[in-house]
Amino acid sequence: MDIFISSAFGYSQKKKEKEMKISAAVVAAAFSLAFSFILVNFTGQCDAALQQGFYKGKCNSQDVEAIVASVVKRRFNDKPRVAAGLIRLFFHDCFVNGCDASILLDGDSSEKTAPPNLSVSGYDVIDEAKGLLEEACAGVVSCADIIAIAARDAVQLSGGGRYEVQTGRRDGSVSLASNVDLPSPRLSVSQSADAFAKKGIGLTDMVLLLGGHTIGFTNCSLFRDRLYNFDNTGKPDPTMDPLLVMKLRLICPRNSPADRTPVSLDQNLASTFIVDNSFYKQIRLGRGILQIDQALALDPLTNNTVASLANGNDFLARFGQAMVKLGAVDVLTDSQGEIRESCHLKNKPRSTFLFG
């Protein structure tokens, strides 16, 4: 499993003193309003073009988020692991070209075909929700927004609380496997931090987003070296709990080519399908599965944040804020992009007829 905003501030040249005073007053008022909005809604830093309730009154009196939620809830009740898949789908989409649903597009060399995305799931959930929304209000709701809403619903159904999703994204039309450059689970903390920083996501939010592993699963190929030959030493990773090494060796034999058994990234198995801070408690005990997960608890850059999240009671609120920030990465809005008729197909060019 691969691991899962910055603002630019401009300024105007000096004009008349009176105009400057008026501008300053307007900016101050806007800042005050925006800051209050953030505090009340826990949305953190976000793209200005996105907003809560974007689709209100735009879908023939239908509730867009409720339609998506109905699909996610039914799928979750049938298979709780769908929640982890939807959160991962959201991350994999946003980290490549921004949150534009480009991961959904079919094609011989689309993002879907890149090795890190071959095990991504949840496409069918998004397609079902899109079909219902097209029936309710054709050409209105973007696939990118459906992914963001579905990920939120997955968190909520898994006990993670409800955060408000900002919508207004439009869909991209470029999807290339060559653009997929997700941070490897074998990177160091500083290397991972650099990868997230390129997306405008800071160190603390990186730690929070990796907390999504609380309901995540992976396969043996991504951590087998930690069990048998860590850093070519011929020995297991010394930072992993020896009892966990013994347990995982039974699941992941040294030379087995198969990776059929999913391994929970939160080794508190009573919390496997629950979004909570158990993941951080486990990695502090040397029970992290992925190398990057364990490194979070040990590296001086992040160990204090991990300790705070493990011992505190604010993970759920902060995780929601981090998900909102992730959902604002490089979004297409307003006249950018398109609203796809089908999430996995680009819109066909409209025919143009010239009459003489």
Side-chain angles (χ1 to χ4, degrees), residues 5-7 45-46 94-95 192-206 209 322 325-326 328-330:
I5 305 205
S6 56
S7 300
Q45 189 175 348
C46 57
C94 291
F95 222 84
S192 296
D194 288 343
F196 276 80
K198 290 177 181 177
K199 303 299 177 182
I201 298 174
L203 189 64
T204 297
D205 286 319
M206 179 189 82
L209 289 170
K325 291 181 183 179
L326 175 62
V329 171
D330 295 334

Side-chain angles (χ1 to χ4, degrees), residues 74-87:
R74 180 168 50 77
R75 294 299 191 99
F76 176 85
N77 289 339
D78 182 57
K79 186 179 180 181
R81 275 188 61 185
V82 74
L86 289 170
I87 294 172

